[in-house]
Amino acid sequence: MQKITIAIDGFSSTGKSTIAKQLAKHLGYIYVDTGAMYRAVTYYAMKYDFINATHFDVVGLVSKLHDIVVYFKLNQETGSADVYLNGENIEQAIRTLEVSNFVSQVAAIPEVRYQLVKQQQKMGAKKGIVMDGRDIGTVVFPEAELKIFMTASAETRATRRFNELINKGEVVTYTDVLHNIEERDFLDSNREDSPLRKAADAIEIDNSNLTIAQQFQEIVKLAEAEI
Ligand code: C5P
């Protein structure tokens, strides 16, 4: 059976990674969460104080890009890949609201995007991949056989993300989570380099009123039609 490339893009917290993971498992494909890669660089920028609430040293961060090694490694316990930064497992550390609050600024830097996109294209060079992000169907794999663009209302997304963070024990308010989602949507859609856009040939799925199972059925049908 021929292997294809599946690009899943969309706004923040639309459940892209949930469906991408399920689909990859179903098809026996590799799954790559590109948001984790931008979060990893942001984690580095925060750790070494290139970015904080009052300053952002873009030149300093860019000068260190060659020192930033981001990669994925299978976690035997969970069965999914964890993200690593220079040998440190940062899978949990990158999912906080604090990282979410800085990531869109870091992801807007062209040099950061250039480096990560190159790495993503290598990962998908042999196809058989489901990759989720913001620019997969437009920039990373414009030739992907299947492109999905996920949407849902901001309130639906904030409720999902709020519950996720609370269940992990993070102390956050619904209002802060909603604000972060709206701000990231704005920054991601309005940056100059690779703004979040629906590719002309992407299929839009609004999952505000779909269960995870319904959404999975719909997307598997689309994927199987391409294989
Ligand atoms: O997917 P996730 O919400 O974890 O992505 C975090 C952030 O990383 C996004 O808000 C966006 O700023 C950036 N991102 C990006 N391009 C991608 C994936 C993520 O700019 N392909």
Short mmCIF file of all heavy atoms in Angstrom, two decimals, residues 8-12 16 34 38 104 106-110 113-114 117 133-142 147-149 183-200 202:
data_model
loop_
_atom_site.label_atom_id
_atom_site.label_comp_id
_atom_site.label_asym_id
_atom_site.label_seq_id
_atom_site.Cartn_x
_atom_site.Cartn_y
_atom_site.Cartn_z
N ILE A 8 -2.11 18.17 9.34
CA ILE A 8 -3.25 18.62 10.15
C ILE A 8 -2.90 19.98 10.77
O ILE A 8 -2.01 20.06 11.61
CB ILE A 8 -3.62 17.59 11.24
CG1 ILE A 8 -3.93 16.25 10.56
CG2 ILE A 8 -4.80 18.08 12.08
CD1 ILE A 8 -4.48 15.18 11.46
N ASP A 9 -3.55 21.00 10.27
CA ASP A 9 -3.30 22.35 10.79
C ASP A 9 -4.56 22.89 11.44
O ASP A 9 -5.65 22.34 11.29
CB ASP A 9 -2.89 23.28 9.63
CG ASP A 9 -1.50 22.96 9.10
OD1 ASP A 9 -0.55 22.99 9.89
OD2 ASP A 9 -1.39 22.67 7.89
N GLY A 10 -4.39 24.01 12.13
CA GLY A 10 -5.57 24.66 12.69
C GLY A 10 -5.22 25.52 13.88
O GLY A 10 -4.05 25.64 14.26
N PHE A 11 -6.26 26.12 14.45
CA PHE A 11 -6.09 27.03 15.58
C PHE A 11 -5.65 26.25 16.82
O PHE A 11 -5.69 25.02 16.85
CB PHE A 11 -7.40 27.78 15.83
CG PHE A 11 -7.76 28.67 14.69
CD1 PHE A 11 -8.76 28.32 13.79
CD2 PHE A 11 -7.08 29.86 14.49
CE1 PHE A 11 -9.07 29.13 12.72
CE2 PHE A 11 -7.39 30.68 13.42
CZ PHE A 11 -8.38 30.33 12.54
N SER A 12 -5.26 27.02 17.86
CA SER A 12 -4.79 26.40 19.10
C SER A 12 -5.88 25.59 19.78
O SER A 12 -7.04 26.03 19.81
CB SER A 12 -4.33 27.48 20.07
OG SER A 12 -3.29 28.20 19.51
N LYS A 16 -6.00 18.91 17.50
CA LYS A 16 -5.21 18.40 16.37
C LYS A 16 -4.36 17.20 16.77
O LYS A 16 -4.29 16.21 16.06
CB LYS A 16 -4.25 19.49 15.84
CG LYS A 16 -4.93 20.69 15.27
CD LYS A 16 -3.93 21.69 14.71
CE LYS A 16 -2.98 22.26 15.72
NZ LYS A 16 -3.60 23.11 16.75
N THR A 34 4.51 19.23 15.78
CA THR A 34 5.48 20.30 15.54
C THR A 34 5.36 21.42 16.58
O THR A 34 6.31 22.15 16.82
CB THR A 34 5.36 20.90 14.12
OG1 THR A 34 4.06 21.48 13.99
CG2 THR A 34 5.57 19.84 13.05
N TYR A 38 8.33 23.93 18.65
CA TYR A 38 8.35 25.38 18.93
C TYR A 38 8.31 25.62 20.44
O TYR A 38 8.94 26.55 20.95
CB TYR A 38 7.19 26.09 18.22
CG TYR A 38 7.41 26.13 16.73
CD1 TYR A 38 6.89 25.14 15.90
CD2 TYR A 38 8.22 27.10 16.16
CE1 TYR A 38 7.13 25.14 14.53
CE2 TYR A 38 8.48 27.11 14.79
CZ TYR A 38 7.93 26.12 13.99
OH TYR A 38 8.20 26.12 12.65
N SER A 104 4.20 31.83 20.88
CA SER A 104 3.89 32.43 19.58
C SER A 104 4.88 33.52 19.19
O SER A 104 5.11 33.76 18.00
CB SER A 104 2.46 32.99 19.57
OG SER A 104 1.55 31.92 19.62
N VAL A 106 8.13 33.35 19.98
CA VAL A 106 9.33 32.62 19.54
C VAL A 106 9.08 32.01 18.15
O VAL A 106 9.96 32.05 17.28
CB VAL A 106 9.70 31.53 20.57
CG1 VAL A 106 10.82 30.64 20.05
CG2 VAL A 106 10.11 32.18 21.90
N ALA A 107 7.86 31.53 17.93
CA ALA A 107 7.54 30.87 16.66
C ALA A 107 7.44 31.86 15.50
O ALA A 107 7.41 31.46 14.34
CB ALA A 107 6.22 30.10 16.79
N ALA A 108 7.43 33.15 15.81
CA ALA A 108 7.36 34.15 14.74
C ALA A 108 8.75 34.50 14.20
O ALA A 108 8.86 35.19 13.19
CB ALA A 108 6.67 35.41 15.27
N ILE A 109 9.81 34.00 14.86
CA ILE A 109 11.18 34.33 14.41
C ILE A 109 11.54 33.48 13.18
O ILE A 109 11.57 32.25 13.26
CB ILE A 109 12.21 34.05 15.54
CG1 ILE A 109 11.84 34.83 16.81
CG2 ILE A 109 13.62 34.39 15.09
CD1 ILE A 109 12.71 34.46 18.01
N PRO A 110 11.83 34.11 12.04
CA PRO A 110 12.10 33.34 10.81
C PRO A 110 13.23 32.32 10.97
O PRO A 110 13.13 31.21 10.44
CB PRO A 110 12.46 34.42 9.78
CG PRO A 110 11.78 35.65 10.28
CD PRO A 110 11.79 35.56 11.78
N ARG A 113 11.95 29.23 12.63
CA ARG A 113 11.08 28.47 11.72
C ARG A 113 11.93 27.74 10.68
O ARG A 113 11.69 26.58 10.36
CB ARG A 113 10.07 29.38 11.01
CG ARG A 113 9.18 30.19 11.93
CD ARG A 113 7.89 30.60 11.25
NE ARG A 113 7.04 29.44 11.02
CZ ARG A 113 6.27 28.88 11.94
NH1 ARG A 113 6.21 29.35 13.16
NH2 ARG A 113 5.55 27.82 11.64
N TYR A 114 12.93 28.43 10.15
CA TYR A 114 13.76 27.83 9.10
C TYR A 114 14.39 26.53 9.60
O TYR A 114 14.33 25.48 8.94
CB TYR A 114 14.83 28.83 8.67
CG TYR A 114 15.77 28.28 7.63
CD1 TYR A 114 15.37 28.18 6.30
CD2 TYR A 114 17.04 27.83 7.98
CE1 TYR A 114 16.22 27.64 5.35
CE2 TYR A 114 17.90 27.29 7.03
CZ TYR A 114 17.48 27.21 5.72
OH TYR A 114 18.31 26.66 4.77
N VAL A 117 11.55 23.80 10.39
CA VAL A 117 10.89 23.31 9.17
C VAL A 117 11.81 22.33 8.43
O VAL A 117 11.37 21.28 7.95
CB VAL A 117 10.45 24.48 8.26
CG1 VAL A 117 10.07 24.00 6.86
CG2 VAL A 117 9.27 25.23 8.89
N GLY A 133 0.29 21.01 13.12
CA GLY A 133 0.91 22.30 13.40
C GLY A 133 0.07 23.46 12.88
O GLY A 133 -1.15 23.45 12.98
N ARG A 134 0.77 24.45 12.32
CA ARG A 134 0.07 25.64 11.81
C ARG A 134 0.36 25.86 10.32
O ARG A 134 -0.41 26.53 9.64
CB ARG A 134 0.52 26.90 12.57
CG ARG A 134 0.34 26.85 14.08
CD ARG A 134 -1.13 26.85 14.44
NE ARG A 134 -1.36 26.97 15.87
CZ ARG A 134 -1.10 26.05 16.79
NH1 ARG A 134 -0.57 24.89 16.42
NH2 ARG A 134 -1.38 26.25 18.06
N ASP A 135 1.50 25.33 9.87
CA ASP A 135 1.96 25.63 8.50
C ASP A 135 2.33 24.35 7.76
O ASP A 135 3.13 24.38 6.83
CB ASP A 135 3.20 26.55 8.56
CG ASP A 135 4.35 25.91 9.34
OD1 ASP A 135 4.09 24.94 10.09
OD2 ASP A 135 5.50 26.34 9.17
N ILE A 136 1.79 23.23 8.19
CA ILE A 136 2.23 21.95 7.58
C ILE A 136 1.71 21.85 6.13
O ILE A 136 2.48 21.54 5.22
CB ILE A 136 1.77 20.73 8.42
CG1 ILE A 136 2.09 20.93 9.91
CG2 ILE A 136 2.42 19.44 7.89
CD1 ILE A 136 3.54 21.25 10.24
N GLY A 137 0.44 22.15 5.94
CA GLY A 137 -0.12 22.05 4.58
C GLY A 137 0.29 23.21 3.68
O GLY A 137 0.20 23.10 2.45
N THR A 138 0.74 24.32 4.26
CA THR A 138 1.08 25.48 3.44
C THR A 138 2.57 25.59 3.16
O THR A 138 2.98 26.00 2.08
CB THR A 138 0.62 26.78 4.13
OG1 THR A 138 1.09 26.77 5.49
CG2 THR A 138 -0.89 26.94 4.11
N VAL A 139 3.41 25.21 4.14
CA VAL A 139 4.85 25.44 4.01
C VAL A 139 5.69 24.16 4.11
O VAL A 139 6.55 23.91 3.27
CB VAL A 139 5.34 26.44 5.11
CG1 VAL A 139 6.85 26.60 5.09
CG2 VAL A 139 4.65 27.79 4.95
N VAL A 140 5.42 23.35 5.13
CA VAL A 140 6.29 22.18 5.37
C VAL A 140 6.05 21.12 4.28
O VAL A 140 7.00 20.66 3.64
CB VAL A 140 6.05 21.60 6.79
CG1 VAL A 140 7.01 20.42 7.05
CG2 VAL A 140 6.25 22.67 7.86
N PHE A 141 4.79 20.76 4.08
CA PHE A 141 4.46 19.77 3.03
C PHE A 141 3.31 20.28 2.16
O PHE A 141 2.19 19.77 2.25
CB PHE A 141 4.08 18.42 3.67
CG PHE A 141 5.21 17.75 4.39
CD1 PHE A 141 5.11 17.45 5.73
CD2 PHE A 141 6.39 17.44 3.73
CE1 PHE A 141 6.16 16.85 6.41
CE2 PHE A 141 7.45 16.84 4.40
CZ PHE A 141 7.33 16.54 5.74
N PRO A 142 3.60 21.26 1.29
CA PRO A 142 2.52 21.78 0.44
C PRO A 142 1.98 20.72 -0.52
O PRO A 142 0.88 20.87 -1.06
CB PRO A 142 3.17 22.95 -0.31
CG PRO A 142 4.62 22.84 -0.07
CD PRO A 142 4.86 21.98 1.13
N LYS A 147 -4.88 17.13 3.51
CA LYS A 147 -4.70 18.28 4.41
C LYS A 147 -6.01 18.53 5.14
O LYS A 147 -7.06 18.68 4.48
CB LYS A 147 -4.33 19.53 3.62
CG LYS A 147 -3.04 19.41 2.85
CD LYS A 147 -2.75 20.70 2.09
CE LYS A 147 -1.53 20.52 1.20
NZ LYS A 147 -1.30 21.71 0.36
N ILE A 148 -5.92 18.57 6.45
CA ILE A 148 -7.10 18.85 7.27
C ILE A 148 -6.87 20.17 7.97
O ILE A 148 -5.76 20.44 8.47
CB ILE A 148 -7.28 17.75 8.35
CG1 ILE A 148 -7.29 16.36 7.75
CG2 ILE A 148 -8.50 18.02 9.22
CD1 ILE A 148 -8.55 15.96 7.08
N PHE A 149 -7.90 20.99 8.04
CA PHE A 149 -7.80 22.24 8.80
C PHE A 149 -8.87 22.22 9.88
O PHE A 149 -10.06 22.20 9.60
CB PHE A 149 -8.00 23.45 7.87
CG PHE A 149 -7.64 24.75 8.53
CD1 PHE A 149 -6.32 25.18 8.57
CD2 PHE A 149 -8.62 25.54 9.13
CE1 PHE A 149 -5.99 26.38 9.20
CE2 PHE A 149 -8.29 26.74 9.76
CZ PHE A 149 -6.97 27.15 9.79
N GLU A 183 -5.06 35.08 22.00
CA GLU A 183 -3.85 35.81 21.66
C GLU A 183 -2.97 35.00 20.69
O GLU A 183 -2.45 35.53 19.72
CB GLU A 183 -3.06 36.14 22.92
CG GLU A 183 -1.89 37.05 22.61
CD GLU A 183 -1.22 37.54 23.88
OE1 GLU A 183 -0.51 36.74 24.52
OE2 GLU A 183 -1.42 38.70 24.22
N ARG A 184 -2.84 33.69 20.96
CA ARG A 184 -2.03 32.86 20.06
C ARG A 184 -2.65 32.80 18.66
O ARG A 184 -1.95 32.84 17.66
CB ARG A 184 -1.85 31.46 20.63
CG ARG A 184 -0.74 31.42 21.67
CD ARG A 184 -0.23 30.03 21.89
NE ARG A 184 -1.15 29.18 22.61
CZ ARG A 184 -1.30 27.89 22.38
NH1 ARG A 184 -0.62 27.29 21.41
NH2 ARG A 184 -2.13 27.17 23.09
N ASP A 185 -3.97 32.67 18.60
CA ASP A 185 -4.64 32.65 17.29
C ASP A 185 -4.29 33.92 16.52
O ASP A 185 -3.99 33.88 15.33
CB ASP A 185 -6.17 32.61 17.45
CG ASP A 185 -6.67 31.25 17.91
OD1 ASP A 185 -5.87 30.29 17.93
OD2 ASP A 185 -7.88 31.15 18.24
N PHE A 186 -4.32 35.05 17.24
CA PHE A 186 -4.06 36.33 16.59
C PHE A 186 -2.60 36.39 16.11
O PHE A 186 -2.33 36.69 14.95
CB PHE A 186 -4.37 37.50 17.53
CG PHE A 186 -4.09 38.82 16.89
CD1 PHE A 186 -5.01 39.40 16.02
CD2 PHE A 186 -2.88 39.47 17.11
CE1 PHE A 186 -4.73 40.61 15.38
CE2 PHE A 186 -2.59 40.68 16.47
CZ PHE A 186 -3.51 41.24 15.62
N LEU A 187 -1.66 36.10 17.02
CA LEU A 187 -0.24 36.19 16.66
C LEU A 187 0.11 35.19 15.57
O LEU A 187 0.82 35.52 14.61
CB LEU A 187 0.65 35.94 17.90
CG LEU A 187 0.59 37.00 19.00
CD1 LEU A 187 1.40 36.54 20.22
CD2 LEU A 187 1.13 38.33 18.50
N ASP A 188 -0.40 33.96 15.68
CA ASP A 188 -0.06 32.93 14.69
C ASP A 188 -0.64 33.28 13.31
O ASP A 188 -0.04 32.97 12.28
CB ASP A 188 -0.59 31.55 15.13
CG ASP A 188 0.13 31.03 16.38
OD1 ASP A 188 1.20 31.55 16.72
OD2 ASP A 188 -0.40 30.09 17.02
N SER A 189 -1.79 33.94 13.29
CA SER A 189 -2.43 34.26 12.01
C SER A 189 -1.87 35.53 11.38
O SER A 189 -2.02 35.74 10.18
CB SER A 189 -3.94 34.47 12.19
OG SER A 189 -4.51 33.35 12.81
N ASN A 190 -1.25 36.37 12.20
CA ASN A 190 -0.80 37.67 11.68
C ASN A 190 0.70 37.84 11.56
O ASN A 190 1.17 38.91 11.19
CB ASN A 190 -1.38 38.80 12.54
CG ASN A 190 -2.88 38.91 12.32
OD1 ASN A 190 -3.33 39.38 11.27
ND2 ASN A 190 -3.66 38.41 13.27
N ARG A 191 1.48 36.80 11.87
CA ARG A 191 2.94 36.95 11.73
C ARG A 191 3.28 36.98 10.23
O ARG A 191 2.50 36.50 9.39
CB ARG A 191 3.66 35.80 12.44
CG ARG A 191 3.41 34.46 11.82
CD ARG A 191 4.10 33.33 12.58
NE ARG A 191 3.70 32.06 12.04
CZ ARG A 191 3.44 30.98 12.77
NH1 ARG A 191 3.52 31.03 14.09
NH2 ARG A 191 3.10 29.86 12.19
N GLU A 192 4.48 37.51 9.95
CA GLU A 192 4.85 37.66 8.55
C GLU A 192 5.29 36.33 7.92
O GLU A 192 4.95 36.02 6.79
CB GLU A 192 5.99 38.66 8.44
CG GLU A 192 5.58 39.84 7.60
CD GLU A 192 6.58 40.94 7.71
OE1 GLU A 192 7.70 40.78 7.19
OE2 GLU A 192 6.22 41.97 8.33
N ASP A 193 6.08 35.56 8.70
CA ASP A 193 6.62 34.31 8.17
C ASP A 193 5.64 33.16 8.45
O ASP A 193 5.34 32.86 9.61
CB ASP A 193 7.98 34.03 8.85
CG ASP A 193 8.69 32.84 8.25
OD1 ASP A 193 8.08 32.13 7.40
OD2 ASP A 193 9.85 32.59 8.61
N SER A 194 5.16 32.53 7.40
CA SER A 194 4.30 31.34 7.52
C SER A 194 3.10 31.53 8.45
O SER A 194 2.91 30.76 9.39
CB SER A 194 5.11 30.14 8.03
OG SER A 194 6.35 30.05 7.41
N PRO A 195 2.28 32.53 8.21
CA PRO A 195 1.11 32.71 9.09
C PRO A 195 0.15 31.52 8.99
O PRO A 195 0.13 30.83 7.97
CB PRO A 195 0.45 33.98 8.56
CG PRO A 195 0.94 34.12 7.16
CD PRO A 195 2.31 33.52 7.12
N LEU A 196 -0.58 31.31 10.07
CA LEU A 196 -1.58 30.24 10.08
C LEU A 196 -2.66 30.56 9.05
O LEU A 196 -3.33 31.58 9.14
CB LEU A 196 -2.21 30.16 11.48
CG LEU A 196 -3.46 29.31 11.65
CD1 LEU A 196 -3.19 27.85 11.30
CD2 LEU A 196 -3.98 29.41 13.08
N ARG A 197 -2.77 29.68 8.05
CA ARG A 197 -3.76 29.83 6.97
C ARG A 197 -4.28 28.45 6.61
O ARG A 197 -3.51 27.50 6.65
CB ARG A 197 -3.11 30.35 5.69
CG ARG A 197 -2.56 31.73 5.75
CD ARG A 197 -3.58 32.76 5.28
NE ARG A 197 -2.99 34.08 5.30
CZ ARG A 197 -2.81 34.82 6.39
NH1 ARG A 197 -3.20 34.37 7.57
NH2 ARG A 197 -2.25 36.01 6.33
N LYS A 198 -5.51 28.40 6.17
CA LYS A 198 -6.03 27.14 5.63
C LYS A 198 -5.49 27.03 4.20
O LYS A 198 -5.65 27.96 3.42
CB LYS A 198 -7.56 27.20 5.63
CG LYS A 198 -8.25 26.03 5.01
CD LYS A 198 -9.75 26.24 5.10
CE LYS A 198 -10.53 25.22 4.33
NZ LYS A 198 -10.37 25.27 2.88
N ALA A 199 -4.81 25.93 3.89
CA ALA A 199 -4.34 25.74 2.51
C ALA A 199 -5.57 25.65 1.60
O ALA A 199 -6.63 25.17 2.02
CB ALA A 199 -3.51 24.45 2.42
N ALA A 200 -5.41 26.09 0.35
CA ALA A 200 -6.55 26.12 -0.57
C ALA A 200 -7.17 24.73 -0.73
O ALA A 200 -8.39 24.59 -0.88
CB ALA A 200 -6.09 26.65 -1.92
N ALA A 202 -7.14 22.29 1.57
CA ALA A 202 -7.38 21.60 2.86
C ALA A 202 -8.88 21.43 3.10
O ALA A 202 -9.69 22.25 2.64
CB ALA A 202 -6.77 22.42 3.99
#
